[in-house]
Amino acid sequence: MMAPAAISWAASLGWLNLAPTAVAFLGYRFAPWILSVLALGELVTDQLPSTPSRTVPIQFGARIVSGGLCGAAIGAASGSLITGAVGGVGGAVIGTLGGRAFRGWMATAFGSDRPAALIEDAIAIVGALLIVAAAR
């Protein structure tokens, strides 16, 4: 949910002009706040040992859909909604599988998943900010 929250804030702040597009709802008044709460919830639940893998079908599918939505928003701001959506789906797949592998490697290196999870969260936050800043 980090990516939708970041895109929503960018649209709300006027960094991405989504007004004339099908994804304009991301810039509506309460959207960034709602998506930020969901992103914070994801950061918290990601730390719990009972949270299922990000590659189970429902979670993986949700990541693909949100990646496509975010890519579409970035693409729509420059008139390339479909190209952006395809790029967003690709980014979601790469981020999901690559993030899982990287976190697993870090957890092994640290001997614990907690520091690996916190580093992964920090990378997600910084990455979302950098992508939104670059799209601006």
Side-chain angles (χ1 to χ4, degrees):
M1 294 309 298
M2 187 63 60
I7 295 296
S8 185
W9 277 108
S12 179
L13 295 170
W15 296 355
L16 288 173
N17 181 16
L18 302 180
T21 71
V23 291
F25 68 91
L26 288 170
Y28 291 174
R29 183 176 182 185
F30 295 109
W33 295 101
I34 292 167
L35 290 169
S36 293
V37 168
L38 292 173
L40 288 172
E42 183 181 25
L43 291 173
V44 170
T45 58
D46 186 46
Q47 306 295 320
L48 302 174
S50 60
T51 301
S53 169
R54 68 187 82 196
T55 57
V56 298
I58 291 176
Q59 288 193 10
F60 198 25
R63 287 170 179 266
I64 290 170
V65 169
S66 70
L69 176 68
C70 292
I74 290 172
S78 63
S80 303
L81 187 128
I82 300 298
T83 303
V86 170
V89 166
V93 170
I94 291 167
T96 299
L97 299 176
R100 181 184 71 167
F102 183 62
R103 179 170 167 176
W105 175 81
M106 284 192 305
T108 300
F110 288 123
S112 172
D113 186 58
R114 178 66 47 113
L118 294 173
I119 290 169
E120 181 186 37
D121 290 346
I123 290 169
I125 292 166
V126 171
L129 293 173
L130 291 173
I131 289 169
V132 167
R136 205 174 131 177

